[in-house]
Amino acid sequence: MDKLWQGALADMKTLDGLYYQTEDLWGEFYKRFFVPAALQTRPNFHSATAPSLVDQAVAAHLPLSPQFKRFPLGDGDAHEKAAGRLETGLQAVYYDAMVKANNLPVIQNGKQIQMYNHTWLGTLLDLDSLVRPVKKEGEGQEDFERREHQWEMTHMVWNPLTLYVPAPGEVLADPQETVPGVAIRRRKMKAYDVRNEIAMRELRPSSADRYLSGNRVNEDPYADIEVEEWWSAWWYILRRTGGEVLFSERNRWGIQPWIQRFGSNAITPTGESFDPKWWVRQSFLWKEQDTIRSIDQALVSHHT
């Protein structure tokens, strides 16, 4: 999977340099004309052109909240009203999940489409928030009290959905499947969270559909552990990145929660095999990058 996405992620990183204004503006110029290091003194100035183009395009054209449409299953007022109730309920649940996210997911999706011509959305189920939190092994008292306070404030208006937009490369899957059969999410978890995930499964009755490695997580409770979550509609697996499987079990959600989307204008060049990098290179920002660099370089040259 890494090899398949390697070119696309490299291109996304190039575009990050433009949007976050961290790119070495003169690096290619110095390399092409063999400029000695002592003379590589031009300011690395970045105008606001790249982020402004992306942000304005999203702000001007993207609706705050997508709308749901349920077609009636039959003719008559009863079917119309049933479809209307479902639309209203879905809209309320989705909007609540959206505004509770750290950043509005629909805006993040819009920015990623403008920048990379590709985006992910995770619809995660929060099935544990109806139960009062229990202190985890190794968890600090202050962190536990924070979780308990959050539960006190939210459990009466519990929403089972959590919406999350990952950064490029955080979730990988077959790029030609909108809802992949298998998706791999890479992230960091605190050691005490990993221990808790394992401990919860040790307390459940043994099952042929569950595997526990039996190996303990011995790191400092607040150490970051790099893990991979492997998701399908049938299985959920947690493993150390590049290492052992910590546990696997039947996916009790019954869904593979990650969905991806490329822009609708994505095509593969004539004579080339499919590679997601070709689709990334049809993003708005990729097409504008040479113009943006020329503007910034011209401004630097004019003032130096």
Side-chain angles (χ1 to χ4, degrees):
M1 200 67 72
D2 284 314
K3 186 175 181 181
L4 178 60
W5 281 94
Q6 184 176 7
L9 291 174
D11 289 345
M12 291 179 183
K13 199 165 187 65
T14 296
L15 296 172
D16 282 343
L18 288 174
Y19 183 82
Y20 296 107
Q21 300 174 289
T22 58
E23 181 185 62
D24 182 359
L25 186 62
W26 298 100
E28 286 299 318
F29 174 82
Y30 293 146
K31 186 185 301 183
R32 184 183 308 167
F33 294 101
F34 306 100
V35 178
L39 299 179
Q40 296 179 13
T41 58
R42 296 192 178 196
N44 200 39
F45 168 79
H46 295 277
S47 68
T49 304
S52 296
L53 285 172
V54 171
D55 294 349
Q56 181 60 28
V58 173
H61 299 291
L62 205 63
L64 178 63
S65 178
Q67 301 296 308
F68 289 90
K69 176 62 179 177
R70 169 70 174 186
F71 291 99
L73 296 178
D75 297 326
D77 289 343
H79 288 291
E80 289 281 353
K81 291 179 179 179
R85 288 193 298 270
L86 186 57
E87 290 175 358
T88 302
L90 285 172
Q91 191 70 31
V93 170
Y94 186 93
Y95 184 82
D96 180 72
M98 186 177 68
V99 297
K100 286 180 178 177
N102 290 334
N103 292 302
L104 292 176
V106 67
I107 300 299
Q108 294 182 71
N109 288 142
K111 283 191 176 186
Q112 289 185 348
I113 286 291
Q114 293 294 322
M115 291 174 64
Y116 317 122
N117 207 37
H118 177 264
T119 191
W120 281 99
L121 178 65
T123 304
L124 308 176
L125 295 180
D126 183 11
L127 299 179
D128 299 320
S129 291
L130 281 179
V131 181
R132 179 180 287 276
V134 176
K135 194 170 184 294
K136 303 173 183 178
E137 179 186 350
E139 182 181 22
Q141 184 64 25
E142 185 175 338
D143 286 335
F144 168 66
E145 290 176 356
R146 176 187 55 80
R147 288 197 304 116
E148 190 174 42
H149 175 73
Q150 184 179 15
W151 179 85
E152 290 280 5
M153 298 294 292
T154 60
H155 78 281
M156 295 300 291
V157 289
W158 173 69
N159 185 342
L161 297 184
T162 300
L163 301 177
Y164 179 73
V165 179
E170 183 178 342
V171 177
L172 297 179
D174 186 338
Q176 298 190 80
E177 294 182 343
T178 301
V179 185
V182 176
I184 304 169
R185 181 190 181 190
R186 293 173 174 169
R187 64 185 180 117
K188 292 181 180 179
M189 295 178 66
K190 295 299 182 185
Y192 73 80
D193 280 326
V194 177
R195 290 177 190 167
N196 184 67
E197 292 291 324
I198 296 172
M200 286 194 304
R201 286 157 178 84
E202 289 176 338
L203 293 174
R204 297 173 188 169
S206 60
S207 169
D209 292 335
R210 183 182 304 116
Y211 164 77
L212 293 169
S213 69
N215 294 329
R216 308 305 299 173
V217 176
N218 296 318
E219 288 89 340
D220 180 273
Y222 280 84
D224 288 324
I225 297 180
E226 294 186 355
V227 298
E228 294 177 352
E229 295 177 310
W230 290 57
W231 287 97
S232 76
W234 298 274
W235 292 98
Y236 171 67
I237 299 171
L238 185 71
R239 59 175 292 182
R240 290 179 182 265
T241 300
E244 64 173 335
V245 172
L246 297 170
F247 64 80
S248 64
E249 64 181 2
R250 284 284 183 179
N251 180 3
R252 57 180 176 149
W253 296 3
I255 61 170
Q256 191 287 99
W258 299 99
I259 182 173
Q260 65 179 331
R261 190 72 184 178
F262 282 94
S264 58
N265 61 338
I267 58 174
T268 300
T270 303
E272 296 286 349
S273 300
F274 170 80
D275 189 314
K277 73 178 182 183
W278 300 124
W279 291 13
V280 169
R281 292 179 182 182
Q282 291 163 64
S283 75
F284 170 75
L285 189 57
W286 183 271
K287 295 173 183 177
E288 290 292 328
Q289 62 176 316
D290 289 340
T291 302
I292 294 168
R293 289 192 189 96
S294 296
I295 291 172
D296 292 350
Q297 288 173 344
L299 288 170
V300 172
S301 299
H302 179 74
H303 291 284
T304 54

